[in-house]
Each structure stands twice: as structure tokens, then as C-alpha cells.
Amino acid sequence: AGRIRTSDIMSGDEVNTAFLQDALARGDIEDLAARIIVNEGNVKAIGKQLSHDGILTRVRKVTQEFFINSLLSGPKTHVINFTSNAIQSVILPIEKMIGGALTGQGADVKEGLLQFWYMRSAIMESGTATGKAFRMGTNVLDVANKLDEAYHKIAITSSSETIIGSGIRGLGSLVRIPTRLLTSSDEMFKQINYRAAVKARAHMEASEKFGSDTVARAAHVEDRLAKAFDADGRALDKEALEFARESTFTTPLTEGGAHIDVARGINNLVNSVPALRFIAPFVKTPANLFRQVVMRTPVLGAFQKQMMTEIAKGGTARSRAIGKQAMGMTVAASALTMASNGRITGSGPTDPADR
């Protein structure tokens, strides 16, 4: 089961062209894999399923694509997404440094500083992949882990080469601008954090191996970075990729405590019943935002499942976990102090004239 039967049905090249590329364009790799297993690799049967959606299904997909993109079309959404990713990108290395200092792990302090140093070059290097993500409308570095399943459902398209077909494809590209912008923004921050993490760790390795030989150290860093990508620009360094996912709130909904288990269940339900996307359009990103809040909640966050696992691991994982708690305590203490001094108040009147 799961193996594609091409004899007497289609050649391997035809399979790749007709189905794999279509699945990549739609962002429906999981759906394609499930169909292969259910149909025991019968490509002809799979093709029928993929190309003969009922009228109601097609209407639902098109409506859903308009709906999702309309939700994401406001400038405020993109400003908040960009700002939150930028703040998270700054906080994560700082937390590593704080945790390293508190636990006596000087190497973690140095690696955190190096991540900031290498972010400079990573910003310039991320441009090509960011542009590619905008054009394709999907991730480049982390193609197996979509920003959110709802963002990558392409419905407004046509295979016709007529003027009408071109018009439909153009309309689809126009409608998907909000999701393409959001995806490219997240791609940029993933690229920056992934590259900085790879280079910082490689620098630490090179320092131990080559000492003061700056030429050899620089060559080692560039070699490690080159080996961190496959031919299509996808990530190969698992640890750095996990860091990049955390920086953009796209960590898979696996381990993380009861709230992640609930989110995963909701996500699976919504994927099984696509019409529910109208009720719960986004699941992964909100769940990850909540995860980050819980992990930084003073004291209580230390008992979160993922935090307990990282503390038990020791090393850098422990430094980062303790750094999160220290950051949460610092923010909470600062807020309480400012509130007691009257420097922080409620939201104020809702009427602009009374403000």
C-alpha cells in the first residue's frame, strides 16, 4: 500500500507532472498521500478524484479562498504578523543568553550573541527565498510545515489556455495576495533565524577546531551553511529548523501540553471536515501564540510539558527554557511595578472624543 503503480496506467514522468506538481501547487501533499494509500497506488483513480470535484465542493473551495484572504487583507494583520515575528526573533537569542548566564553555560551566552551577529548577513541572504515564497504562495525553507493549512488552498485557478483561463488564474493570484504576503513575511523571518542559528553553531564548532585561524573558521561556517539546504532550498538542519519555526509561531502541533493536544484535535477535525474552516479558519498559529505565553508565565510555565522536557534535557535546551521563565518574570514584575505607580492603566474610554 502507498506504492504508485505506473505500469499500464501512466509513466513515472506523467505521474510527477499530472499529480505531484498539482499537489505542490495546491499545498495538498497530505491529501495526495492519503489518496495514494486508499487507492492502493492506482494513479488513474486518484486522478479522477483530483479532477472531478462536485459543484458544491468547488463552490465551497472558491468561497473559502475568498473568505480566508479577506480575513487577512487588512494592513493591520500584516503589521502585527511582521512585528510579532521581529520581537520573537530578538527575544529568543536573549533568552538563551539569560538562561546560559543563570546556569553557568557560557557557551550558550556566546552562541546567543553570535546569532545576533549573523542575523546581519542573514537578512541580506533571505531576499531570494522571500521573493520565491511570494511568487509561489508557499514556503521554501519549510515546505512540509505550512504556515497554516488554510493559507495554501488554491481553488481559483484554471488549466485552460484560453483568455478566460488566463483571466481566472490572474484573478486567483490577485485574491491570494494577502496569503502570499503573509507567507513571504514568515519565510523571511524563518530564513533569517535558520541561517543565523546554523552559522552561530558552526562558528562555535570552528572556534574549537581551528582556534584563531579566521580564514579556516569562516570557511567552516560557509560550508556548514551550504550543507544546511538541499538543492531546492529546503532546510536540512533539524535543530535550526525547529528554532526557525518557533521564531514564526509555526511549530508543529505535537508535544506541548494539554492545550496543544486540544489544538491538534481541532486541527485534525477541521482538516477532515473542510467546511469547518469557516468557523475555525486558523488553528496552528493561535495555538503556538498561546504556547509561547504559557511557557513564559512565571512559575506555572515551568510545569508545562514541553518546558519540563527541555529542562530535563539539560544543555542548551535547559538554558532556553530557564531563559523563557526569567524573561516572563522580568516582564511580569515590570508590569506590576508600572501598574502600581500608575504608569499603566486600563484601555481607557472607547469613544475617541473622550480619550
Side-chain angles (χ1 to χ4, degrees), residues 61-87:
K61 287 182 176 181
V62 169
T63 304
Q64 198 165 49
E65 188 164 49
F66 272 109
F67 173 66
I68 294 295
N69 280 275
S70 66
L71 291 178
L72 301 173
S73 61
K76 187 176 179 180
T77 298
H78 298 276
V79 170
I80 291 174
N81 180 68
F82 185 94
T83 304
S84 61
N85 286 345
I87 292 172

Side-chain angles (χ1 to χ4, degrees), residues 261-339:
D261 294 337
V262 171
R264 183 170 62 252
I266 294 173
N267 200 50
N268 291 339
L269 176 63
V270 171
N271 285 337
S272 301
V273 187
L276 291 178
R277 283 286 173 198
F278 290 107
I279 301 172
F282 314 114
V283 179
K284 182 185 292 182
T285 303
N288 274 298
L289 286 165
F290 186 69
R291 184 208 303 258
Q292 294 297 318
V293 171
V294 171
M295 293 170 77
R296 293 179 175 90
T297 301
V299 183
L300 293 177
F303 296 96
Q304 190 245 20
K305 184 178 180 181
Q306 184 177 345
M307 289 284 280
M308 293 176 67
T309 300
E310 292 186 357
I311 290 172
K313 281 181 183 178
T316 300
R318 181 167 177 262
S319 295
R320 293 187 61 211
I322 290 175
K324 282 182 170 63
Q325 276 291 289
M327 180 66 74
M329 290 179 182
T330 300
V331 172
S334 300
L336 287 172
T337 300
M338 294 176 73

